[in-house]
Amino acid sequence: MAELDTSGGGKHKGGKVRSKKQSTRVDLTAMVDLAFLLVTFFMLTTTLNKPKAMDLVMPDKDEKVKDEKPVPESRTMTILLGKDNKIEWYLGLPGKPLAPPTTDNFGRNGIRKALLENQKKISDASGGKPMIVLVKPSDHSVYKNMVDIMDELNIAKIDIRAIVDILPAEVELLKRDGNY
Amino acid sequence: MTAMCDVAFLLLTFFILTAKPRTDDPVPVDIPASTMKIQLPESDLATLTVGQKKVFFGVEGFEIRKEVLKQMSDKYKVPFTPEQIIKFSALPTFGVPIRMLPGFLDLDGDQKKNFKQPGIPTDTTATCELFDWVRTARVVTASLDNKDMRVAIKGDGKEEYPTIAMIIKVLQKQKVNKFALITSVKSVAK
C-alpha cells in the first residue's frame, strides 16, 4: 500500500533498458510507529483530570474580638472523630446531652443517617431552624476522617458547621467508649 | 496509512499542548476522595503537601518563585547564587529548611530525588519558616499578579490530625481562614 515501489516500470522489451520510474509513495510505517510511541508516552505522563478541591472555611481566630454569639445548645450536634475511623456524636452540651453519645461509623447507614435524622428532629423541635454541627477531631483521628465528615455534611447540605478543638471532657468520653 | 498518520500526529499535538508533567510528590501522598467538584485554580496558588508528619511547600509560577526566594533570602540572610534562583524557580515543591536550601538546589536530578527531605520546620508560632514562606508567597502574589493567593492542602489520608491542625493554626495566624483541601473525585454512595 504505502511501500516504496522499486519494481521497474513496465516489461522489458527487446533488451531495451529504460530508466526506472520512481514512485512518489513513501513508507510511513516507521513514522506512524514513532508517532504512536510519542502519543502513548504523553498520554501516560500527563494528568488529564485536574485535582478537585474542597473548600474549608475555619472560624476566625482573632484573640482580640470577643463578640462571638453563643451557640444554642438545643440545635447543636457535636461530632467527635476517634481512632480507627470511628465517630461519636451527641446533641446538646457534653455534660447534659439531649441525646446520649452514640458511637457510629462512616457510610450510608452510619453518620449520614444520623445526620439526616437529627436534622429533621432539630428542625421540627425548633420550628424550622437549621442544625449547627461542630466537628471535633481528636488527636487519634486521621486526615481522611476529617475530609469524609466534611463531605457527609456537604451531602446532607448542612451549611452551619465548624471544626473546633476538642475539649478534655470529650476526650474522656471517647476514652470511656474505647474510641480514643 | 496516511489517515492513520494524520490521526496519530493530531493526537500527538494535542497531548503535547495539554501536557503538564506530573509532579512527583517527595513523600507518597494518597489523597482522600470527596464528592466535591470545585476546580482548583492553576495560578496564584500555593500547595502544602503533607505526609509522614512533614510539610512541603510549593507555589505556582516561575516569576513568583524567584521573587519569593529573593525575599526569603533577605529575611533569613541566606545568600543564593543566580543559578540557584533559576533552579529554584523550576522546583514545584520542596521540604528543606532554608539553611539547607542552597545545598539542596546544587544537587542534580537523581540526587535530588533520593535526598531525604526533612520537611519545612513548622510550629505554631509566627516565626516558623512555613509561616514566612506562605506569607512571602502571598505578598509576592499580591504585588506581581494583583490577586489573592489561594492556599491548598494536599494531605495524605492516613496523616494523623495533629499535623493538619498545626498547619491550619499556622495559616490562621496570618488570617488565612479559607483554604482548599485537594481531593480526588468519588460519586455519592447510594
Side-chain angles (χ1 to χ4, degrees):
Chain A
M1 187 182 136
E3 295 82 28
L4 202 64
D5 189 2
T6 49
S7 67
K11 292 165 195 165
H12 291 276
K13 262 184 193 171
K16 234 181 189 176
V17 182
R18 288 189 181 176
S19 64
K20 282 180 180 172
K21 215 177 187 179
Q22 293 283 330
S23 162
T24 50
R25 294 191 150 186
V26 183
D27 188 359
L28 298 176
T29 322
M31 196 161 102
V32 173
D33 281 356
L34 187 72
F36 272 108
L37 181 81
L38 288 173
V39 167
T40 323
F41 171 74
F42 278 104
M43 264 171 79
L44 293 180
T45 50
T46 50
T47 42
L48 267 185
N49 52 342
K50 297 189 182 82
K52 299 286 187 290
M54 169 195 280
D55 274 340
L56 181 67
V57 183
M58 296 290 285
D60 197 353
K61 250 193 194 165
D62 201 334
E63 281 94 356
K64 288 167 216 152
V65 185
K66 283 285 173 210
D67 62 344
E68 293 152 352
K69 283 178 195 150
V71 182
E73 67 213 48
S74 58
R75 290 195 282 133
T76 312
M77 175 179 178
T78 306
I79 299 173
L80 311 173
L81 305 180
K83 65 166 184 185
D84 298 335
N85 302 330
K86 278 192 243 173
I87 307 174
E88 197 160 336
W89 61 265
Y90 63 84
L91 302 176
L93 287 173
K96 41 179 174 58
L98 300 172
T102 316
T103 302
D104 223 328
N105 57 344
F106 287 97
R108 182 162 54 104
N109 289 322
I111 189 69
R112 190 175 305 169
K113 212 170 158 189
L115 278 173
L116 292 175
E117 278 171 6
N118 286 329
Q119 198 177 17
K120 197 169 179 304
K121 203 160 93 184
I122 285 169
S123 172
D124 288 348
S126 64
K129 282 188 182 159
M131 177 167 78
I132 298 157
V133 175
L134 301 177
V135 178
K136 300 190 177 182
S138 75
D139 286 358
H140 290 226
S141 63
V142 293
Y143 175 59
K144 185 177 184 298
N145 298 146
M146 186 177 100
V147 173
D148 280 348
I149 196 77
M150 295 318 277
D151 201 32
E152 290 294 338
L153 293 173
N154 282 328
I155 292 170
K157 295 196 172 55
I158 298 168
D159 297 328
I160 310 179
R161 67 226 180 163
I163 295 180
V164 200
D165 293 335
I166 197 160
L167 301 172
E170 287 159 335
V171 174
E172 289 303 316
L173 200 67
L174 282 174
K175 270 184 191 156
R176 192 196 70 191
D177 296 328
N179 295 330
Y180 189 72
Chain B
M1 182 61 95
T2 325
M4 192 158 116
C5 188
D6 286 353
V7 170
F9 273 100
L10 182 78
L11 284 175
L12 184 59
T13 320
F14 170 74
F15 279 110
I16 289 178
L17 291 181
T18 55
K20 195 185 163 198
R22 185 182 289 171
T23 48
D24 277 335
D25 292 318
V27 284
V29 171
D30 178 22
I31 52 174
S34 83
T35 55
M36 298 296 278
K37 283 179 185 152
I38 302 172
Q39 286 275 2
L40 213 59
E42 287 191 1
S43 57
D44 309 315
L45 176 80
T47 315
L48 304 176
T49 310
V50 189
Q52 297 171 0
K53 295 199 190 339
K54 293 180 211 163
V55 188
F56 300 85
F57 177 80
V59 63
E60 300 294 324
F62 292 103
E63 292 306 316
I64 292 176
R65 282 179 198 155
K66 275 185 201 165
E67 193 56 39
V68 168
L69 187 66
K70 277 179 203 158
Q71 294 196 6
M72 285 298 281
S73 159
D74 287 347
K75 189 170 172 126
Y76 279 86
K77 309 271 183 295
V78 179
F80 289 93
T81 62
E83 292 84 53
Q84 284 168 340
I85 292 179
I86 288 170
K87 273 188 183 169
F88 181 81
S89 72
L91 200 65
T93 179
F94 68 96
V96 288
I98 191 160
R99 309 236 165 261
M100 286 165 69
L101 200 52
F104 177 70
L105 289 173
D106 283 339
L107 299 176
D108 56 12
D110 257 4
Q111 284 174 307
K112 218 178 247 174
K113 216 173 233 172
N114 295 330
F115 185 79
K116 278 257 174 281
Q117 300 189 38
I120 292 174
T122 313
D123 52 46
T124 50
T125 62
T127 51
C128 71
E129 283 185 23
L130 183 70
F131 181 91
D132 285 328
W133 281 112
V134 176
R135 188 171 179 81
T136 315
R138 285 176 61 211
V139 170
V140 170
T141 310
S143 64
L144 287 184
D145 285 4
N146 206 8
K147 270 187 199 161
D148 276 347
M149 190 185 76
R150 296 262 292 151
V151 180
I153 297 178
K154 186 178 186 181
D156 188 34
K158 292 190 186 63
E159 189 62 38
E160 290 202 345
Y161 182 71
T163 320
I164 307 285
M166 189 166 66
I167 293 167
I168 293 177
K169 276 210 184 83
V170 169
L171 292 175
Q172 287 203 289
K173 271 262 175 352
Q174 42 184 295
K175 299 223 182 335
V176 177
N177 286 320
K178 190 183 175 197
F179 31 84
L181 307 176
I182 297 181
T183 55
S184 58
V185 181
K186 73 172 178 193
S187 57
V188 183
K190 289 275 160 63

